[in-house]
Amino acid sequence: MSYLEEIQVKNLDHLGIVAGLIDEIGIVKIINNKLGIDVREKISAGTVVKSILINGLGFVSRPLYLFSQFFQDKAIEKLLGERIKPDYLNDDKIGRVMDELYKYGLNNIFIEVVLEVIKKFKIDLKYSHLDSTSFHLDGEYKREEDKEKQEEEKIIKERPIFIKKGYSRDHRPDLKQCVLDLITSQDGDIPLFVRVGDGNESDKAVFGKVLVEFKKQIKFDSIMVCDSALYGQENLQIIQHLKWITRVPMTIKKAKELVQNIEVEEVKDEDKEKRSDLNLESYTWKEEIVTYGGIKQTWLIVLSEKRQKSDLEKLEKQLSQEEKKSQKFLKEIQSEEFEHPQAARYKLKAINKKLRLLEIKEVELIETYSKKKEKIYKMISLIIKKDEEISRKTKEAGKFILATNLVEENKLEASEILITYKNQQSTERGFRFLKDPLFFTDSFFVEKPERIETMLFLMSLCLLIYNLGQRELRNCLKRVKKGINNQVGKVTLRPTLRWIFQCFQGIHYVILNGVKQIVNLTEERRFILSLLPASCQRYYL
């Protein structure tokens, strides 16, 4: 045997960190306990799921049907176990495991994983954030839809989703889609609850039911935070026994009146420093007690200086654009010849529907004759500003209203309500992660709605693993009060886990004359590993 034949070199890179986080959570054990272990199988369902999650967090733009190729140059036996080969992870095996996951109940498995994470890593659940997004899909996905049966179904459905057109957050109204509802913790953006819905599903119709179902599954006294899709009389009745913070839509009459008429309070000198420390120096507010939908609430009318400036600039731009448009309309209507006065006024009405801040007003309707000596009518008109509408928009600029049912003895400080709502972006960060073009499901290739739901379940597990690893790393850096260099060489206590993954590129698993070793493990990489759970360290040290 030649010298070269005695050397095996496989890539480990950052995948040991991913595998370690999966081990630390106990995902393989949970899956195997749920689906069982068949001694005739070369690889268990839990290990297949682990391999999918490692593939998903490999940040290699390859779809799942190139799955076995992903592991060809990886240290698969180190990551997944002795005697496991890449060809064990074939399409048929992956498909069978995905079908078994769906049949058992994706929600049940996800909740058990979440409960284990909450317990082991002491996730703070004071606040939880709900939002939704859509995923566009290629393909037909034809299914017969029984509308009457569909209306009777619970929020956690036993039937597969309907892939169909709906409101597209991806700005692809031409494609069919499905919807993903996601609840995350404010502490580390940990996904706590996921639900896949039909493509044409409305947030307003399901958000209340989603929160109630979440509280049944996760029995913690969490304050639920959501955008204005939650705020409606029906939803408020559904969630009346929960604690919540949400945004009030400006379509509500009482909200319009308050924004127009109320003056937010001036900031006292002694409060300025406090607000600066909370990063709220550009906000002012005023509280009002309001009863809406039969629920007593605190409404916080907030004015953001930055948003006010932006809104006023947009208003000025809109006014300028309408002035150009209305000049064109004015010339058009004044040059036109009408057979009847009604025709002229009908045309004027149609034009004014296209304007929001300006109006073309009739000054005089002149009766005259055409070149053919036929009686005609010509309109003399002028452009006027809609002062009331402009004043309304000016007063509304930069203002929004937050509502909570935490009043009296449960009352929150106004600053806490505002900070908590600003953290609603935790779910948005999750959606950006799931839709990243480097993620393994950039485009769905599975053909059945059941597989799509299962894929989104697996993607959500990837998000949970990623955010948990990032949370643990940042918390450890904060405790040791020592940062690491980021992409531009500056020391930070809040690195992204993606940057850490990049820092671990080039680590290899080498077998030389039967001796196994990890190469390229620098001092910096050892320091980073010391900040991560022990299960991650075992893959390298």
Side-chain angles (χ1 to χ4, degrees):
M1 185 179 291
S2 71
Y3 177 73
L4 290 176
E5 289 175 324
E6 296 177 15
I7 300 176
Q8 293 181 48
V9 180
K10 297 289 184 179
N11 295 329
L12 185 59
D13 299 328
H14 69 283
L15 301 180
I17 296 175
V18 178
L21 290 168
I22 295 168
D23 297 343
E24 194 75 16
I25 295 167
I27 291 176
V28 174
K29 184 179 178 181
I30 290 170
I31 299 292
N32 286 339
N33 285 343
K34 298 296 184 187
L35 303 187
I37 298 176
D38 188 339
V39 294
R40 296 168 298 177
E41 295 281 357
K42 295 178 179 178
I43 184 169
S44 70
T47 305
V48 170
V49 170
K50 181 180 180 180
S51 69
I52 293 172
L53 300 178
I54 290 172
N55 184 197
L57 289 167
F59 294 113
V60 177
S61 189
R62 291 188 181 189
L64 211 57
Y65 57 76
L66 294 176
F67 190 82
S68 59
Q69 288 93 320
F70 173 82
F71 281 101
Q72 288 293 346
D73 62 347
K74 305 296 188 298
I76 188 168
E77 291 191 14
K78 178 74 171 172
L79 295 167
L80 300 180
E82 295 289 336
R83 296 183 295 279
I84 292 180
K85 308 298 180 188
D87 56 4
Y88 294 176
L89 302 165
N90 55 61
D91 295 349
D92 290 339
K93 180 62 179 179
I94 294 169
R96 285 198 303 273
V97 170
M98 290 178 75
D99 292 341
E100 287 173 23
L101 290 168
Y102 183 87
K103 185 177 179 181
Y104 183 87
L106 304 174
N107 182 260
N108 294 333
I109 297 171
F110 194 83
I111 288 296
E112 183 154 341
V113 172
V114 166
L115 290 174
E116 187 65 25
V117 168
I118 291 169
K119 179 182 175 182
K120 185 172 286 186
F121 295 92
K122 297 179 173 57
I123 308 298
D124 183 359
L125 296 179
K126 182 177 182 180
Y127 295 108
S128 305
H129 297 261
L130 166 66
D131 207 344
S132 70
T133 193
S134 58
F135 287 83
H136 62 266
L137 304 146
D138 298 307
E140 291 299 318
Y141 302 100
K142 291 180 180 178
R143 292 184 64 240
E144 292 297 322
E145 184 171 353
D146 185 342
K147 291 184 180 179
E148 187 175 342
K149 182 182 178 183
Q150 183 183 349
E151 289 171 359
E152 295 174 356
E153 288 168 339
K154 297 179 181 179
I155 196 70
I156 301 299
K157 308 182 297 296
E158 295 181 359
R159 63 160 177 82
I161 55 172
F162 291 108
I163 308 298
K164 59 201 309 180
K165 292 182 179 179
Y167 173 70
S168 175
R169 280 86 164 178
D170 295 332
H171 308 292
R172 290 301 306 269
D174 55 312
L175 295 178
K176 294 180 180 180
Q177 65 179 26
C178 62
V179 170
L180 178 71
D181 300 315
L182 175 67
I183 296 178
T184 61
S185 69
Q186 188 164 305
D187 176 14
D189 301 347
I190 306 300
L192 303 174
F193 186 86
V194 290
R195 173 186 170 274
V196 186
D198 301 334
N200 64 341
E201 188 174 85
S202 165
D203 293 350
K204 292 181 181 179
V206 301
F207 268 10
K209 297 173 185 176
V210 168
L211 291 182
V212 170
E213 187 63 35
F214 168 66
K215 292 296 286 186
K216 287 180 184 176
Q217 305 278 349
I218 309 283
K219 298 184 184 300
F220 291 95
D221 194 25
S222 195
I223 298 170
M224 311 308 303
V225 187
C226 189
D227 64 19
S228 60
L230 178 67
Y231 200 90
Q233 295 199 30
E234 184 177 345
N235 276 337
L236 293 184
Q237 288 298 318
I238 292 172
I239 62 169
Q240 61 180 309
H241 301 302
L242 306 181
K243 298 175 181 178
W244 48 262
I245 296 171
T246 185
R247 185 166 174 165
V248 180
M250 296 312 296
T251 52
I252 293 173
K253 184 179 178 182
K254 178 68 175 176
K256 288 181 180 178
E257 290 173 356
L258 280 174
V259 166
Q260 286 294 309
N261 300 318
I262 203 165
E263 292 294 330
V264 296
E265 298 172 348
E266 290 290 328
V267 184
K268 297 176 182 177
D269 290 338
E270 58 266 27
D271 291 334
K272 287 182 179 179
E273 186 176 347
K274 182 181 177 183
R275 292 195 187 186
S276 179
D277 292 340
L278 296 171
N279 200 24
L280 296 177
E281 62 268 26
S282 63
Y283 293 90
T284 50
W285 53 73
K286 184 173 177 59
E287 293 183 64
E288 290 282 315
I289 299 296
V290 173
T291 299
Y292 182 80
I295 308 295
K296 188 177 180 181
Q297 309 160 37
T298 298
W299 277 18
L300 189 68
I301 301 93
V302 183
L303 173 63
S304 164
E305 290 179 8
K306 292 179 182 177
R307 182 168 173 175
Q308 184 183 43
K309 182 181 178 182
S310 174
D311 287 350
L312 290 175
E313 287 173 355
K314 287 177 184 175
L315 180 62
E316 193 67 32
K317 185 177 179 180
Q318 185 183 355
L319 190 57
S320 175
Q321 289 172 342
E322 282 207 6
E323 282 173 350
K324 294 176 183 177
K325 190 190 295 184
S326 59
Q327 288 290 347
K328 183 181 175 182
F329 288 149
L330 182 67
K331 289 178 183 178
E332 182 183 325
I333 199 166
Q334 290 194 148
S335 62
E336 194 165 343
E337 298 176 349
F338 299 96
E339 294 181 1
H340 306 285
Q342 296 91 330
R345 289 178 179 131
Y346 181 81
K347 176 69 178 281
L348 182 63
K349 186 177 180 181
I351 284 174
N352 280 325
K353 282 183 178 179
K354 300 175 183 178
L355 301 172
R356 294 286 179 268
L357 306 176
L358 301 174
E359 182 181 12
I360 298 177
K361 189 162 183 153
E362 176 188 337
V363 175
E364 186 180 0
L365 203 59
I366 300 171
E367 182 182 309
T368 183
Y369 291 90
S370 67
K371 294 177 181 178
K372 297 179 180 179
K373 305 300 182 184
E374 296 171 340
K375 185 187 286 186
I376 59 165
Y377 295 88
K378 299 200 76 171
M379 179 177 282
I380 304 298
S381 51
L382 57 82
I383 300 168
I384 61 170
K385 287 184 178 181
K386 294 182 182 178
D387 291 328
E388 189 174 325
E389 179 66 13
I390 293 171
S391 174
R392 182 184 71 79
K393 284 186 171 289
T394 302
K395 287 180 179 179
E396 287 180 359
K399 291 180 182 175
F400 58 95
I401 300 176
L402 302 178
T404 178
N405 62 340
L406 295 166
V407 295
E408 297 169 354
E409 68 272 10
N410 295 319
K411 190 175 185 301
L412 293 173
E413 288 288 333
S415 57
E416 187 172 358
I417 296 171
L418 181 54
I419 290 169
T420 301
Y421 186 78
K422 285 175 69 180
N423 285 326
Q424 178 67 3
Q425 61 185 321
S426 65
T427 49
E428 294 169 7
R429 284 192 291 266
F431 295 144
R432 284 198 298 272
F433 174 90
L434 294 173
K435 294 185 176 187
D436 192 301
L438 289 177
F439 201 42
F440 75 147
T441 42
D442 175 37
S443 58
F444 287 96
F445 61 89
V446 285
E447 296 178 353
K448 295 193 299 182
E450 295 92 330
R451 290 277 181 89
I452 289 168
E453 287 191 60
T454 308
M455 183 62 68
L456 282 166
F457 157 78
L458 294 167
M459 290 168 68
S460 300
L461 281 181
C462 284
L463 175 61
L464 186 151
I465 293 161
Y466 180 90
N467 283 353
L468 180 65
Q470 185 168 268
R471 173 187 181 271
E472 289 302 291
L473 177 68
R474 290 177 174 180
N475 285 348
C476 281
L477 286 171
K478 189 176 179 182
R479 282 197 295 271
V480 301
K481 298 179 181 178
K482 184 177 179 181
I484 61 175
N485 290 334
N486 63 12
Q487 294 92 321
V488 294
K490 291 185 178 180
V491 176
T492 178
L493 293 174
R494 293 182 57 80
T496 66
L497 194 61
R498 175 164 292 182
W499 169 241
I500 300 302
F501 288 174
Q502 290 175 356
C503 291
F504 273 66
Q505 296 304 297
I507 295 180
H508 302 300
Y509 180 63
V510 178
I511 303 175
L512 177 60
N513 295 327
V515 179
K516 301 171 183 177
Q517 57 183 315
I518 306 295
V519 298
N520 293 338
L521 200 58
T522 63
E523 285 302 314
E524 181 187 31
R525 289 166 174 170
R526 288 177 182 274
F527 171 67
I528 292 170
L529 283 172
S530 71
L531 304 170
L532 293 167
S535 297
C536 299
Q537 299 170 24
R538 281 197 290 270
Y539 285 88
Y540 298 93
L541 303 177

